[in-house]
Amino acid sequence: MTTASLETPLTKNPAVLKWVEDCSALLKPDHIHWVDGTEAERQNMISTCLKTGELEELNQALLPGCYFHRSAQNDVARTEHLTFICSPTKEDAGPTNNWMAPSEAYAKLKGIFDGAMKGRTLYVIPFIMGPAGSPFSKIGVEITDSLYVVLNMGIMTRMGNVAWKQLGDSPNFTRCLHSKADLNESRRFICHFPQDNTIWSVGSGYGGNALLGKKCLALRIASALGQKEGWLAEHMLILGIENPKGEKRYIAAAFPSACGKTNLAMLVPPAHLVKQGYKVWTLGDDIAWLRVGPDGRLWASNPEAGFFGVVPGTNSRSNPNAVKTIRTNTIYTNVGKMANGDVWWEGHDNLPPEECLDWKGQKWNPDMDTKAAHPNSRFTAPARQCPSIAPNWEDPAGVPLDAILFGGRRAHLTPLITESYNWQHGVFMGATMASETTAAQQGGNVGVVRRDPMAMLPFCGYNMADYFGHWLSMGTKIKNPPKIFLANWFRQGKDGKYLWPGYGDNMRVLLWILDRAQGKGASVESPIGTLPTKDAIDAGGLDLTAPVMEELLSVDRAAWETEIADIDKFFATFGSRLPAALKSERDALAARIKKA
Ligand code: OXD
Ligand code: MN
C-alpha cells in the first residue's frame, strides 16, 4: 500500500487505479494529484512553478500568458543513445534502434524509480492523442513528478477530464511512466515496450524524452500499433493549400528534426501567389497518423494539440505565423531572457539586446562568442493560436492526401524536387532519405550526413525493415494513393550558398506537386525520378536565373553512384529482412544511372 496522501481519483477505471497504485508503491511520492485539465488547475500549477523557480514569469504586457523555463544544462535535447526499444527480441527492434531486453529494462529502471518521488507529488495525467471523440484517437496516462511536463502536456495534448471520459473503463491506454529522478545522465533511460503498450522514461525533463505523448507514444508506440492495426504513424507535418477557386488539397511531409518542418507547416505564400488568391492552412507540424479511408484515399490527422518548436531562427521572414503564435500562452525553454522580461534568441527579428541572461542563466552580451539561446531551445504553444490553423484541423476523420513529401538537408546530390514513378518507388525514396544532422540530437556531430528513412530513424518502434514492408503493403490497400515526392530546399552551389530561397517560396514547389497529383505540370524523366522542366516551377517575382534552376534540378551521375554505394551499406544492415521490392528499386536505379 502507498503511504502517499491520496486525492480522490478522478476515474473509477480499475486498470488505471491498479497501475497508479503499483507505480506509487514504487516511486513513494508524498502526494498524488489527479490532473483534471481545468483552467483553475493550470493557474494553480503555474503559481507553484513560479514559487519553486521551475517557471519564471515573462513580461505579461509584451507576452501575455507566457512563461520561461530553464532546463538542467545536461538536459537540452533528445538523447537517442539512451533511448531503447525493449521488444521481446533484438531482431524485433532492428538494427537502427537501441535494444534492451524487457526484463533487464524493467529491472534497471525499477531500481532508479524506487523512491524517486520521495518528497514530491506524483501527477496522474490522462491525455488523448487526436481529437476528443475521434475513433482514431489513442489514450495515454502519464505519471510524472514534473509540473513542467504537466503544463506542456496541457498544451500538446487534449488533457484531463476529457480523456478520463473517453477512456471510460477500458484497459486500453498507453502506460507512460516518467520521473525526472536526479536528472543524472548515467541514470537516464527512455524505454519503450511496444508489446505492453508501455513507456518508462527516467532522468530527463526534455520535451522529446518526457512529454511521453509525443515522440514516445505518437511515433514509437503508435508506429508499432499501426503495423498491427493497418495504419501509419509518421514524423510528418500536414498542410492544406487553397487555390484561387477555393479548392483545398492536402500534403503531408516528412523531414528530419530541425529541417524547417514547422516553417513549412506554417508557410506564408510569396506576395506573387497571394495576389493570385492562394492560401496555406496548417494542420500539424510534427506528427501525422495516416489511415486508408472508405473512399480508398489516404487520410491524415494530427494527434497533437500544440507545437513544440525550435526557437532560434524563428522570425518574420522564416515563419511569420509562428512569431504570432508564440506571443501568448507559450512556454519558452532555454532562450535568452532580458531584464524587462522579454525573450531573445539567435535569428530573432530584433537586434541582440545589449545584455541579457543566456539559457544557462549567465550574463550575456553580443560580444561574447557563446549563444544567448540554446540552439535547441523550444517554444510550446497551442496550435489553435496559429493564424494559419485550418478550420478543419480537428476533424475526427482527418484530411485526404494528394501528396506525400519526403525531404532532407543535402548540400549536394538531390534536386529541389523529384517525383517518384509509383508508390513502391516512393517508398524507396523515403527509405533511402538522408540528411545532415542538427542540434535536435544531443551528442551527435552537427552537419554529418546520416540516413534517416522517412525521417523516422529515431522514432520507429520496431524493425525498420518491417516498417518498410508495412509501407509497401499499405500501398496495396490504398486505391487512390497520394503521389510521393522527394524535396531538398538546402542544395548549395559551388560557393557554398543556398541555391533556393526556401521559406515561403517553397510554396512554388508545392504547387508543382499538386499539379502533378492532378496529372498536370510540365515534367521530364530523369534516372532518379520525374523532375520539373526548368520552367515548370513558377518563379515569378523571384530573382532566380535559368542556370541556377538548372543546377537545382541537375542529376550528377558520379555523385549518385557514390550514393548507391552508401545505400547498399545501409540496406545491408537489415540483412534478409529487407523487402525484396526495395532491393529491386535499388537495382533499377543503378541501371538507370549507368545508362544515363
Ligand atoms: C522534435 C524533433 O522535437 O523531431 O520534433 O526532435
Ligand atoms: Mn519532430
Side-chain angles (χ1 to χ4, degrees):
M1 281 294 285
T2 172
T3 53
S5 77
L6 273 178
E7 269 177 17
T8 311
L10 293 178
T11 175
K12 293 198 169 71
N13 182 308
V16 173
L17 295 178
K18 167 87 175 69
W19 177 66
V20 171
E21 179 66 36
D22 290 349
C23 292
S24 161
L26 174 64
L27 292 148
K28 306 181 181 60
D30 282 10
H31 187 69
I32 295 178
H33 176 83
W34 295 78
V35 171
D36 63 16
T38 57
E39 182 55 22
E41 177 186 64
R42 193 175 78 91
Q43 289 304 338
N44 271 333
M45 289 178 173
I46 290 172
S47 303
T48 306
C49 288
L50 293 176
K51 279 187 214 127
T52 60
E54 200 164 355
L55 290 182
E56 292 173 25
E57 191 164 68
L58 291 170
N59 184 322
Q60 296 299 297
L62 296 172
L63 299 161
C66 293
Y67 296 90
F68 168 82
H69 172 78
R70 192 174 281 127
S71 78
Q73 288 179 29
N74 71 349
D75 192 26
V76 291
R78 286 184 291 101
T79 40
E80 291 175 12
H81 59 296
L82 304 173
T83 300
F84 293 83
I85 301 299
C86 306
S87 42
T89 71
K90 189 167 167 39
E91 289 65 41
D92 290 336
T96 59
N97 282 314
N98 300 315
W99 177 78
M100 211 191 293
S103 54
E104 184 193 339
Y106 280 131
K108 187 181 274 206
L109 272 70
K110 256 187 196 159
I112 307 170
F113 279 133
D114 192 358
M117 293 194 190
K118 273 189 196 148
R120 299 182 185 177
T121 295
L122 178 159
Y123 298 92
V124 187
I125 313 171
F127 62 95
I128 309 175
M129 298 313 293
S134 163
F136 305 131
S137 297
K138 297 283 179 198
I139 306 230
V141 181
E142 176 162 352
I143 285 178
T144 184
D145 51 7
S146 162
L147 266 181
Y148 171 79
V149 165
V150 182
L151 289 167
N152 277 275
M153 287 289 285
I155 297 174
M156 297 304 296
T157 73
R158 282 86 177 173
M159 179 183 86
N161 290 333
V162 64
W164 289 135
K165 191 161 159 236
Q166 187 159 328
L167 181 61
D169 273 349
S170 167
N172 290 331
F173 61 93
T174 307
R175 286 148 177 81
C176 305
L177 180 55
H178 170 254
S179 170
K180 293 181 291 186
D182 59 3
L183 293 177
N184 185 322
E185 260 184 286
S186 67
R187 284 185 289 281
R188 180 176 299 163
F189 295 96
I190 297 90
C191 291
H192 306 73
F193 305 86
Q195 67 285 4
D196 302 332
N197 199 3
T198 290
I199 303 157
W200 281 19
S201 164
V202 69
S204 168
Y206 174 74
N209 293 335
L211 311 180
L212 299 186
K214 190 175 179 61
K215 304 299 188 182
C216 300
L217 193 165
L219 286 176
R220 299 195 188 95
I221 293 291
S223 62
L225 286 174
Q227 188 205 20
K228 267 198 270 165
E229 298 170 2
W231 55 282
L232 291 161
E234 295 302 322
H235 191 200
M236 289 179 177
L237 64 89
I238 312 168
L239 60 76
I241 294 184
E242 183 172 338
N243 70 14
K245 287 192 230 149
E247 294 159 349
K248 290 184 187 164
R249 299 184 181 276
Y250 299 94
I251 299 176
F255 290 80
S257 307
C259 274
K261 233 161 86 226
T262 302
N263 296 347
L264 186 63
M266 298 182 190
L267 182 150
V268 175
H272 170 73
L273 294 170
V274 172
K275 260 191 258 144
Q276 293 174 35
Y278 284 100
K279 284 191 197 131
V280 172
W281 296 105
T282 307
L283 291 102
D285 80 327
D286 196 41
I287 300 177
W289 286 356
L290 312 180
R291 297 169 190 274
V292 187
D295 57 355
R297 299 186 69 188
L298 192 62
W299 289 66
S301 66
N302 171 15
E304 299 192 284
F307 305 124
F308 180 67
V310 177
V311 179
T314 303
N315 57 51
S316 320
R317 173 168 147 69
S318 64
N319 196 335
N321 282 323
V323 169
K324 290 183 193 132
T325 306
I326 64 179
R327 264 188 207 141
T328 51
N329 307 318
T330 294
I331 299 175
Y332 287 90
T333 302
N334 290 342
V335 292
K337 187 176 174 227
M338 281 136 74
N340 70 349
D342 200 357
V343 284
W344 190 83
W345 52 82
E346 280 69 22
H348 195 284
D349 279 325
N350 297 342
L351 291 173
E354 270 170 33
E355 188 178 274
C356 71
L357 291 183
D358 68 9
W359 68 275
K360 295 180 178 170
Q362 313 277 336
K363 272 200 179 160
W364 180 91
N365 68 61
D367 295 331
M368 295 169 72
D369 56 9
T370 55
K371 302 218 184 286
H374 186 277
N376 194 35
S377 51
R378 296 281 175 150
F379 57 77
T380 321
R384 61 170 189 278
Q385 292 184 181
C386 180
S388 58
I389 198 75
N392 54 341
W393 77 284
E394 300 196 270
D395 189 325
V399 293
L401 293 179
D402 268 51
I404 287 178
L405 183 58
F406 292 121
R409 182 184 283 271
R410 298 294 299 261
H412 308 288
L413 193 81
T414 46
L416 177 61
I417 188 74
T418 313
E419 179 188 336
S420 62
Y421 298 124
N422 51 42
W423 182 268
Q424 179 172 300
H425 181 223
V427 174
F428 172 79
M429 276 182 173
T432 54
M433 241 169 85
S435 194
E436 288 151 20
T437 50
T438 69
Q441 305 90 17
Q442 185 164 309
N445 289 329
V446 174
V448 173
V449 170
R450 78 166 181 180
R451 252 163 236 285
D452 191 349
M454 278 89 168
M456 282 288 280
L457 184 75
F459 305 122
C460 184
Y462 60 106
N463 190 314
M464 205 137 207
D466 300 348
Y467 167 76
F468 298 151
H470 181 44
W471 260 88
L472 291 164
S473 82
M474 285 292 289
T476 63
K477 294 184 194 124
I478 315 169
K479 241 195 316 153
N480 303 307
K483 285 207 165 194
I484 300 180
F485 297 79
L486 182 69
N488 178 18
W489 317 131
F490 302 95
R491 195 154 175 178
Q492 295 174 10
K494 289 187 189 69
D495 56 2
K497 293 211 180 98
Y498 291 118
L499 294 168
W500 178 247
Y503 302 116
D505 288 308
N506 292 336
M507 171 82 172
R508 300 165 188 272
V509 178
L510 301 183
L511 290 183
W512 183 77
I513 289 174
L514 290 184
D515 273 351
R516 296 296 299 158
Q518 294 164 80
K520 300 184 286 184
S523 68
V524 51
E525 295 305 309
S526 91
I528 60 165
T530 305
L531 302 176
T533 57
K534 62 180 186 318
D535 31 49
I537 292 176
D538 180 352
L542 266 191
D543 186 18
L544 192 89
T545 61
V548 170
M549 185 55 100
E550 266 167 46
E551 199 175 343
L552 275 164
L553 298 174
S554 64
V555 178
D556 175 343
R557 186 178 150 181
W560 275 93
E561 273 165 359
T562 311
E563 177 76 355
I564 291 169
D566 198 60
I567 290 173
D568 286 345
K569 275 197 228 141
F570 178 62
F571 276 180
T573 62
F574 297 103
S576 58
R577 218 146 158 159
L578 186 82
L582 292 188
K583 174 76 174 59
S584 47
E585 285 297 334
R586 176 262 174 232
D587 291 345
L589 171 66
R592 291 192 304 266
I593 294 282
K594 200 161 164 212
K595 238 177 52 201

